[in-house]
Amino acid sequence: MAVDEHRAPRTTESDDARRLVKARRPGFGIGLLKGMAVTLKHLFKHNTVIQYPDEKQDLSSRTRGVIALKEENCTVCMLCARECPDWCIYIDSHKETLAPKREGGRPRKRNILDRFAIDYALCMYCGICVEVCPYDALFWSREFEYAEYDIRELTHEKEKLSDWMASVLPPPALEEGAEYPGSPTRAPEVADGVAAPVKPVQAEASDAAAGTPERRGAQAAPLGTGGRPADAGAPKEAKPDVGPVPGRQAEAAPAPEGAEPAAAEAPPVQEEEQQAAPSQEQAPGPEPTAEDHAGPGGRTETASPEVLGIQMGAEPASPSPRESTETPSPEVLGIQMGGGPAPSPGAGEDAVGAPEEAETRTPQEGPDPEEVARLQETPGPNVEVPNEEPKPTALDPTEDPKEVYEAVLSDQLAKGSSPEVAEARAKVARVKAERGIARNPGVATKEDS
Amino acid sequence: MFDITLATWQILVIKIIVILTVVPVGALVGGYAEHKVMAHLQHRLGPMYPGGFHGWATTLADGIKFLYKEDIIPAAADRKVFSLAPAAIMVPIIMTYLVIPIDRALIVEDLDVGIFYLLAVGSLSTIGLLMAGWSSANKYALIGALRSAAQLIAYELPIVLAAVVVAMLAGSLSLIDIVETQNWPFAIWPPGIGFIAFLLFTVGAVAEMTRVPFDMPVAESEIITGPFTEYSGMRYIFAHMFAEMGHMVAFGGIGATLFLGGYQPIVPIPFLDFIPGVIWFSAKTMFMIFLFLWIRPTFSRVREDQLQKFAWKFLIPVGLALVLVTGAWVLYV
């Protein structure tokens, strides 16, 4: 019979071999009947076929259908067009200059979106554009029934993409107890935890504007110049940077140049600064402080700066809170560290502007330098302390480039390099010597030879 | 019932009309059954649109579609043989319908040599297949034709031997006698012999129709449609589809007649006698057809050499042994 060749030796030991032996035994057609039982089972099962187009499938909320565009969010950064592996996004834009918001302000430049088209004949629905968009202007929709008779109709323009927004699902709900950004839930807790009575500071526009720009400028100055705390000098000490919110301070980077001289000088410069400051703000309003204080809790007093200070970077980056965080953070931190009293008024001599108060410090004053210094040495978990003395690449040249050139050239020729190679290497060494860049130890230097 | 005497020629005409109606309709219904039953066995729906209600008109629509297709004959083909091949396949199949008893009195022609006639005529379609493949001027059609010829010859024998067993047990070659002598339980009695004969017949029938798992000659995914590769339009339907569906119904009927008791009720309870034999016969035929359809989506294709080995080295020796045993049974029991 035909089954002879299927008989395997039975003296095997390993598991696999055992199974193989078992599988090769003549089954007398039982396996066939088992197979028939399987198909018969399916005959009697309820059929799960979805008869499209009469019936449609229940699509999950994450279904990748068409990609919709929310025009107002698009800043024409071109990231989506760049990252698209298929190059199927076509974007055109132009820059326009708008009138300044305030009298004498700087004219604003805006990028206006002219054309935004996605060619769905090319699109492979990878979603990289949706992922990469930093402004949440692209969204997934579940629509997939947009086949056309003409392939040119598959390029959806701005208008059509905006129409698709109607089919975009709302974002999924956050889990139980999660915090929505800007929610008032945190403010009350924190405010309740504040031991010391908070002196409400009625920040006047002028004062606030006067205080804050310089604050911010001074604040930014030490960081803006990066590695020169020594250069910050006396005036800067009065407004030492507070570690906790470097991010926002970095945003004030445009300020330093203007702020530096302003900080060290008398109030007349402050007025300039004051004028310059609002132009840097992206948030609207001549009363930035007031609004800024209208932080999560909608409070307009110091409560929110404290809150913001405590949150330490968890705030959505609005430009002005940073100016006020500098002020309250030491206070707040002082409070955090056990409800300590207000710092001593020791830094009053350097503080430009208002005299300090015993218990709390107004936003117009600088933060207590002692406090700040102490805190800088022991930063908290969310604090970023900037690097000290980052080394610039340009050093003073210590070697004579010409001599270096000669030395390297002769050295290379002696080692047997071809003339072109030797010359090239010598030239490179000369350039490095000019710029003060340390060269490889293997290359001949003036000191070595 | 009616007091009519019909002349011979009139009876002949009626019989011809009956046959020529039953066979195509049977093939159509069989084809639709194949679509739907196979689909549900594979956990899908099958055709749902043609005709509206679950696609009942699928095969009808197919037939009409093929009517208006172009009739292409390859330039190098042997035109006469090419044109005659579908007929050579279809006619023997139609002829097998002549002797199948639907009810005690409902048989087109009750031949005394019913089984003999059946087997003889049934083998003729092999020639048609060879004609089709060879005249196509296509290498792969030729391969398919030769494979099918070899297969049909090989699997003719298990069918013949099983039929011989039945004839010996019944003591007659007439199909009506065969049906009459069958007792409940069908296909099992005599113990062992009947069942093995039934299995032999079923396997042989499936192979005879070049159905899966024995569809090497056709081997859709490999040599397209084997002998029928060059056929298009209505010629193709007659040569392939019609032939296969007609064959399926015919073999279903033959199986029901030989092994399942034909038009007799399933269980010999007098209560069931009022149901006409036609219904019983139809039910049994449908069961046989369901067997053929059930096998199709379940098993994978058997390779040509495995196919031949199975027939010649297993089925035929078993069949011969069975004949021997049946002979002994008949003589001494």
Side-chain angles (χ1 to χ4, degrees), chain A residues 289-364:
Chain A
T289 331
E291 286 179 17
D292 303 329
H293 287 254
R299 295 161 187 252
T300 52
E301 284 92 359
T302 22
S304 46
E306 295 170 12
V307 167
L308 299 174
I310 290 180
Q311 289 181 346
M312 287 214 228
E315 272 286 308
S318 53
S320 16
R322 59 175 180 251
E323 46 192 85
S324 38
T325 45
E326 309 148 11
T327 316
S329 22
E331 271 180 311
V332 163
L333 290 174
I335 292 170
Q336 272 186 347
M337 288 187 194
S344 61
E349 72 271 12
D350 285 336
V352 179
E356 301 191 351
E357 299 184 75
E359 292 185 6
T360 55
R361 300 169 67 84
T362 60
Q364 294 93 329

Side-chain angles (χ1 to χ4, degrees), chain B residues 100-120:
Chain B
I100 301 175
I102 300 176
D103 203 346
R104 194 160 286 118
L106 290 177
I107 189 170
V108 177
E109 197 65 46
D110 184 17
L111 297 175
D112 287 331
V113 287
I115 286 202
F116 184 67
Y117 165 83
L118 213 54
L119 298 169

Side-chain angles (χ1 to χ4, degrees), chain A residues 1-2 5 32-33 35-37 39-40 42-43 45-49 51-54, chain B residues 36-37 39-45 48-49 290-291 294-295 297-299 309 313-314:
Chain A
M1 284 231 303
E5 57 256 33
L32 296 175
L33 292 176
M36 289 177 76
T39 30
L40 196 66
H42 280 285
L43 183 64
K45 269 199 191 148
H46 173 65
N47 214 302
T48 52
V49 173
Q51 296 182 71
Y52 186 88
D54 301 322
Chain B
K36 289 301 256 184
V37 170
H40 281 271
L41 283 167
Q42 294 174 329
H43 204 93
R44 55 185 179 91
L45 284 178
M48 298 289 282
Y49 281 112
F290 176 70
L291 266 183
W294 189 4
I295 289 173
T298 314
F299 300 122
K309 212 193 287 191
K313 286 194 181 178
F314 182 65

Side-chain angles (χ1 to χ4, degrees), chain A residues 118-121 146-157 160 164:
Chain A
I118 299 182
D119 187 353
Y120 283 106
Y146 46 94
E148 299 283 350
Y149 284 103
D150 191 339
I151 204 173
R152 291 169 292 189
E153 312 248 346
L154 278 180
T155 304
H156 292 195
E157 295 293 336
K160 194 155 184 192
W164 286 124

Side-chain angles (χ1 to χ4, degrees), chain B residues 305-326:
Chain B
D305 65 307
Q306 291 170 335
L307 203 153
Q308 295 289 329
K309 212 193 287 191
F310 184 55
W312 293 103
K313 286 194 181 178
F314 182 65
L315 288 180
I316 291 172
V318 167
L320 290 171
L322 201 66
V323 169
L324 210 64
V325 171
T326 314

